[in-house]
Amino acid sequence: MNSKGNVNQENIRKIQIFDTTLRDGEQAPGATLTFEQKMVLAHQLAKLGVDVMEPGFPISSPGEFAAVRQISRELQQVEICGFGRAVKEDIDAALKATQDAERRRIHMFLSSSDIHLQHQLRKSRQEVVAMAREMVAYAKQYVNTIEFTTMDATRTDINFLVEMVEAVIAEGATIINLPDTVGYALPEEYGNMFRRVRQEARGGDTVQYSAHCHNDLGLAVANSLAAIQAGASQIEVTMNGVGERTGNCSLEELVMAIETRKAALQVGTGISSEHIYETSRMVSRAMHFPIAYNKPVVGRNAFQHESGIHQDGLLKHRSTYEIMDPEQLGIPRSMIILGKHSGRHALKHRIAQFGVTLNEGELETVYRQFKEVADEQKIVTDDRLLEIVGHSVRQDEAVEAYSLIDLQVVAGSQRARVASVTIRDQRQGMEQSYSGVGDGPLEAVINCIQQAIPVAAEFEDLEIHSLSSGEEAHGEAIVTITHDEQTYRGTSMHKDIVLAAAQAYISACNQAVMR
């Protein structure tokens, strides 16, 4: 780092990103993936730029074995990791599943803490060291790169941990993984463990070190950074932090912490950040794991702001309240959320996105009405906002190109879903009805609307959120479309979620048309 605090690329140390989304991540309850889903996600993770991929646990099932084998064959640009327990059957399965990989390693694990030895393995320390030696020596006959994990390292007696690491290094292990298996460690403790093992184990300075942290106390990323500062050169992560219990170190959080604080950490990764958001959404959908609103980097609120002070600062210069650029992460720019804390600048900005310009008097009138509505509901959606504008100041002028007049859907278990909509073209002053079918009610509705609005817009994404509970519950729909390589997002809220989605889709299309 030079005197101005800038990054000197010559001094940047490369951190390998070891992705275990398809192995440890899939072990989260309910996260099981099909063969096809694994293949799609594996290709996406390779596109993201992970250095090492652990695509599964080959011994666990025929399907898992087949997926690891096929990924090994297709993804020649990524190092593939065959995972198993420190037993011959697991190692044999991992060796066979990864035999077609261009680059591969065997990753075996064996418990090291007295808690695990006494209550799970029911073996002595000496027996465990003998097992570790035997299995590393066995695998070394077939592969050069062997990663050995001392499971529950952070609750292991440090002297025994050093002894165990020495033993596997002597037999040919090339990567030592010291995991925080139960998310127990504090960052200072975790970093010190790495330093002591590196310094005290014979041969400890001849191998690579890896960190694998779980998030039970919310410290997985912090502990991983502590490991980096203590000399680890590989971090094991999952997309969205998925994994057993509360999950693993989150790929996107770790990578962006490194990228954002590169000058302080003096390390970097090979991740292509523009693919982070897309990969995150794909993993979320495939595993049916929703992403928390306040999830760092990829959560809905990560780059959205309701506070008027924040909105005003952001509209003047992004860096006032954002330390990362969402567009560099592949995240659509939608930083303004309109609610009771929003100010005039944000309101004017959002209205302008629909091609509507208000003078000061009109803005003040709309703002007063907006505040009344915002006090009654959590957020003011696009369709409601345009309704306010129309009622308040532009009664004789269309503020949206198209509006939904009527919608009907027929759904049933034994028939295709059929929908009909009536759309008003505000500029032409004409109403027309359209009908369509689909596998689901929303698909049928979208097919109708696409006939009505002559914009070659691709339906990109739909988010549906419950805003309350009980019989009076409302749902919020957020629809993203792409048109001419630009992304547009529309929002709506209604008790009928299909109607809300239809209105949100029309809102997004209106932005594309008005632009």
Side-chain angles (χ1 to χ4, degrees):
M1 187 167 57
N2 62 30
S3 60
K4 294 183 179 180
N6 295 323
V7 176
N8 185 341
Q9 294 296 336
E10 293 181 359
N11 297 329
I12 294 298
R13 179 165 62 97
K14 170 72 182 297
I15 300 299
Q16 276 197 318
I17 297 299
F18 177 116
D19 184 87
T20 185
T21 302
L22 304 181
R23 198 277 299 172
D24 204 338
E26 195 193 15
Q27 289 176 198
T32 301
L33 300 168
T34 65
F35 177 91
E36 291 76 15
Q37 287 173 324
K38 275 209 171 191
M39 295 306 301
V40 170
L41 291 179
H43 279 273
Q44 181 63 26
L45 289 165
K47 181 180 177 182
L48 180 63
V50 302
D51 299 290
V52 185
M53 188 182 301
E54 192 168 63
F57 199 161
I59 194 68
S60 63
S61 75
E64 192 81 342
F65 179 92
V68 174
R69 181 174 58 183
Q70 192 61 31
I71 290 169
S72 297
R73 291 171 175 172
E74 292 189 14
L75 297 179
Q76 298 292 300
Q77 74 274 36
V78 179
E79 184 176 353
I80 302 298
C81 184
F83 180 78
R85 297 165 296 180
V87 296
K88 284 188 177 180
E89 293 80 6
D90 284 31
I91 294 171
D92 287 341
L95 286 166
K96 188 174 181 180
T98 60
Q99 64 184 355
D100 295 327
E102 180 71 21
R103 292 180 294 126
R104 67 167 174 167
R105 73 173 64 166
I106 293 300
H107 179 195
M108 68 182 77
F109 68 95
L110 185 60
S111 291
S112 58
S113 71
D114 288 337
I115 295 173
H116 281 207
L117 269 57
Q118 293 171 14
H119 301 294
Q120 185 175 22
L121 293 183
R122 302 184 188 279
K123 293 183 182 295
S124 68
R125 289 183 174 183
Q126 292 72 24
E127 288 175 312
V128 167
V129 171
M131 285 177 60
R133 281 186 175 275
E134 181 184 0
M135 290 302 99
V136 171
Y138 176 72
K140 193 68 175 181
Q141 301 174 83
Y142 306 100
V143 292
N144 290 323
T145 307
I146 297 177
E147 178 172 341
F148 189 87
T149 287
T150 54
M151 188 159 70
D152 204 21
T154 53
R155 295 193 297 172
T156 299
D157 173 73
I158 189 64
N159 294 318
F160 178 61
L161 184 62
V162 169
E163 178 186 346
M164 196 167 177
V165 169
E166 279 184 351
V168 297
I169 291 175
E171 298 298 336
T174 56
I175 303 166
I176 302 300
N177 180 38
L178 304 176
D180 188 17
T181 304
V182 292
Y184 177 74
L186 298 176
E188 184 177 358
E189 296 171 341
Y190 197 55
N192 286 337
M193 179 185 68
F194 275 84
R195 292 185 184 94
R196 287 196 61 180
V197 170
R198 290 180 64 207
Q199 293 167 3
E200 297 178 20
R202 282 174 292 184
D205 58 349
T206 66
V207 295
Q208 181 182 357
Y209 287 86
S210 180
H212 179 115
C213 297
H214 281 262
N215 204 38
D216 298 70
L217 296 177
L219 295 170
V221 173
N223 282 336
S224 297
L225 292 172
I228 289 172
Q229 292 174 317
S233 58
Q234 175 182 278
I235 305 297
E236 304 186 8
V237 297
T238 61
M239 198 73 224
N240 298 337
V242 295
E244 293 176 332
R245 304 184 310 280
T246 58
N248 291 19
C249 177
S250 165
L251 182 152
E252 64 278 6
E253 293 178 28
L254 177 80
V255 167
M256 292 315 299
I258 289 174
E259 182 63 28
T260 304
R261 302 306 310 277
K262 186 177 288 185
L265 295 169
Q266 290 292 287
V267 296
T269 73
I271 294 296
S272 299
S273 60
E274 66 271 20
H275 300 303
I276 284 179
Y277 184 70
E278 177 187 11
T279 309
S280 169
R281 300 299 290 271
M282 289 174 67
V283 170
S284 174
R285 291 171 187 152
M287 291 185 172
H288 302 296
F289 273 25
I291 299 171
Y293 284 5
N294 62 335
K295 175 77 167 66
V297 184
V298 294
R300 174 186 171 185
N301 290 350
F303 298 98
Q304 294 184 345
H305 310 266
E306 183 184 328
S307 164
I309 295 172
H310 285 220
Q311 290 174 344
D312 180 57
L314 283 161
L315 290 171
K316 291 172 178 174
H317 198 282
R318 181 187 62 80
S319 65
T320 52
Y321 290 102
E322 288 183 351
I323 59 172
M324 296 172 279
D325 184 349
E327 293 173 339
Q328 290 184 358
L329 305 173
I331 301 175
R333 165 54 76 187
S334 53
M335 65 185 183
I336 302 302
I337 295 296
L338 297 178
K340 67 178 183 179
H341 301 108
S342 298
R344 293 171 179 79
H345 287 95
L347 185 65
K348 184 178 181 179
H349 172 79
R350 186 58 178 161
I351 293 171
Q353 290 182 313
F354 289 90
V356 178
T357 302
L358 302 179
N359 60 40
E360 292 301 318
E362 291 173 332
L363 177 62
E364 195 60 33
T365 301
V366 169
Y367 184 69
R368 286 197 300 269
Q369 180 63 31
F370 161 79
K371 281 292 188 179
E372 293 178 9
V373 173
D375 274 335
E376 298 174 0
Q377 56 192 57
K378 292 179 182 290
I379 60 173
V380 178
T381 56
D382 294 332
D383 58 322
R384 191 74 177 93
L385 176 62
L386 293 179
E387 181 182 325
I388 293 170
V389 174
H391 287 170
S392 300
V393 298
R394 298 289 176 90
Q395 295 93 338
D396 300 325
E397 180 183 340
V399 293
E400 53 185 340
Y402 298 92
S403 59
L404 179 65
I405 303 302
D406 184 49
L407 179 151
Q408 292 188 3
V409 181
V410 177
S413 59
Q414 302 296 321
R415 66 183 73 183
R417 282 66 177 170
V418 180
S420 64
V421 301
T422 300
I423 303 290
R424 179 175 178 81
D425 184 335
Q426 303 284 23
R427 297 170 300 180
Q428 301 295 325
M430 296 174 54
E431 293 183 8
Q432 191 165 346
S433 297
Y434 304 86
S435 60
V437 297
D439 291 336
L442 182 57
E443 182 182 357
V445 170
I446 297 301
N447 288 338
C448 294
I449 297 172
Q450 287 176 334
Q451 299 173 51
I453 302 179
V455 171
E458 181 180 349
F459 190 97
E460 187 75 21
D461 187 41
L462 167 67
E463 294 180 42
I464 296 176
H465 307 287
S466 175
L467 298 180
S468 54
S469 59
E471 295 180 359
E472 299 299 314
H474 282 70
E476 179 196 14
I478 304 171
V479 170
T480 304
I481 66 169
T482 55
H483 173 63
D484 283 346
E485 299 183 351
Q486 294 292 319
T487 298
Y488 303 91
R489 300 182 84 193
T491 62
S492 184
M493 187 170 59
H494 202 275
K495 290 182 181 179
D496 185 332
I497 197 61
V498 175
L499 178 57
Q503 290 173 332
Y505 179 71
I506 291 175
S507 172
C509 289
N510 275 330
Q511 293 173 58
V513 171
M514 300 300 278
R515 287 280 177 92

